[in-house]
């Protein structure tokens, strides 16, 4: 008998869907609770029971979603950086002018910081923090970020004649500047003079990099 042709009872399918939805809600509650607690402390000092208490679930339920606190931290890294590097990589690969790309990239970073300040603060604090798994996950994501940016830069006319190494170096400069900008924005209020100063400074620095790009010559050339 071909079991693929056996219909799944409607009630069973609904129950399965409900369990999946509940599992996702519990996982989300754990991540959100951890982010809230991490506003005041580092991940290395965060306790499992502290997180589950804040999430309103039993401690044993934690292990259905994460192996331990570092594993939860890695999930936060993936959530914070996993989509942003693809968006910025696509932006830098677009056919607009260099000035437009700079303006759009800075605006994108500012919007992301304002939408997800807790996530950005987590990365800023834990990138060089005491939890090795999180440091490694952050480095891995940022490398992926820079590779995508490098692919976008390599496709631009300004990169004609550049070596792969030099394009990658340029991508890492852009990534570092955008991360510095994101971290600086955390200390400013939206619409404030301090925020405008950070954004202006970021655009100026990116223009300097763009200017150097036009005149760059590999020392080995």
């Amino acid at each position: 008998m071909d079991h693929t042709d056996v219909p799944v009872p409607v009630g069973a399918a609904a129950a399965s869907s409900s369990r999946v939805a509940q599992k996702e809600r519990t996982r989300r509650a754990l991540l959100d609770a951890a982010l809230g607690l991490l506003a005041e402390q580092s991940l290395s000092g965060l306790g499992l029971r502290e997180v589950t208490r804040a999430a309103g679930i039993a401690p044993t339920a934690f292990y259905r979603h994460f192996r331990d606190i570092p594993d939860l931290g890695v999930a936060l890294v993936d959530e914070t950086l996993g989509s942003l590097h693809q968006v910025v990589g696509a932006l830098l690969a677009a056919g607009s002018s260099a000035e437009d790309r700079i303006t759009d990239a800075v605006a994108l970073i500012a919007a992301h910081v304002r939408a997800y300040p807790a996530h950005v603060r987590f990365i800023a604090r834990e990138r060089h923090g005491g939890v090795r798994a999180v440091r490694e996950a952050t480095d891995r994501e940022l490398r992926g970020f820079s590779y995508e940016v490098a692919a976008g830069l390599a496709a631009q006319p300004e990169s004609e004649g550049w070596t792969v190494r030099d394009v990658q170096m340029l991508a890492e400069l852009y990534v570092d500047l955008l991360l510095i900008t994101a971290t600086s924005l955390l200390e400013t209020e939206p619409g404030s003079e301090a925020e405008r100063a950070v954004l202006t400074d970021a655009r100026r620095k990116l223009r300097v990099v763009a200017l150097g790009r036009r005149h760059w010559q590999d020392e080995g050339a």
Side-chain angles (χ1 to χ4, degrees):
M1 180 179 179
D2 185 354
H3 293 285
T4 61
D5 294 330
V6 177
V8 177
V10 174
S16 176
S17 176
S18 178
R19 284 194 295 271
V20 170
Q22 179 58 47
K23 184 175 181 179
E24 180 55 35
R25 283 194 295 271
T26 301
R27 186 178 188 276
R28 182 73 260 159
L30 288 166
L31 290 169
D32 289 344
L35 274 175
L37 293 166
L38 288 169
E40 304 296 335
Q41 61 181 299
S42 66
L43 187 68
S44 59
L46 193 63
L48 184 152
R49 288 185 178 276
E50 189 179 7
V51 174
T52 54
R53 187 185 311 115
I57 66 172
T60 53
F62 180 93
Y63 296 106
R64 300 192 191 110
H65 305 273
F66 306 104
R67 293 187 302 273
D68 48 28
I69 290 295
D71 189 40
L72 182 150
V74 170
L76 286 173
V77 171
D78 293 342
E79 184 172 86
T80 303
L81 297 176
S83 60
L84 181 62
H85 66 81
Q86 294 175 357
V87 173
V88 176
L91 177 62
L92 292 176
S96 55
S97 68
E99 183 61 30
D100 286 342
R101 288 194 295 267
I102 288 171
T103 299
D104 291 346
V106 172
L108 177 66
I109 291 299
H112 187 78
V113 171
R114 296 315 179 198
Y116 306 103
H119 289 82
V120 176
R121 194 176 304 279
F122 167 75
I123 292 296
R125 176 181 289 165
E126 301 297 335
R127 183 184 180 188
H128 303 293
V131 180
R132 179 177 178 180
V134 170
R135 293 198 309 271
E136 291 176 347
T138 302
D139 287 344
R140 183 170 61 250
E141 284 290 343
L142 291 178
R143 278 199 305 274
F145 192 173
S146 69
Y147 294 154
E148 289 193 12
V149 172
L153 293 173
Q156 295 170 1
E158 298 96 321
S159 296
E160 184 177 354
W162 280 52
T163 66
V164 172
R165 180 190 67 180
D166 287 349
V167 172
Q168 182 61 37
M169 175 186 67
L170 179 64
E172 290 168 2
L173 280 174
Y174 279 125
V175 171
D176 286 344
L177 278 172
L178 293 176
L179 281 173
I180 290 170
T181 300
T183 302
S184 298
L185 284 170
L186 286 172
E187 308 307 321
T188 68
E189 292 295 327
S192 66
E193 187 63 35
E195 181 193 55
R196 287 191 289 274
V198 169
L199 297 179
T200 297
D201 189 54
R203 288 190 291 267
R204 287 171 61 85
K205 288 177 179 176
L206 287 169
R207 288 189 191 108
V208 168
V209 173
L211 178 63
R213 179 186 185 187
R214 290 198 295 270
H215 299 283
W216 172 255
Q217 183 177 17
D218 190 332
E219 62 183 8

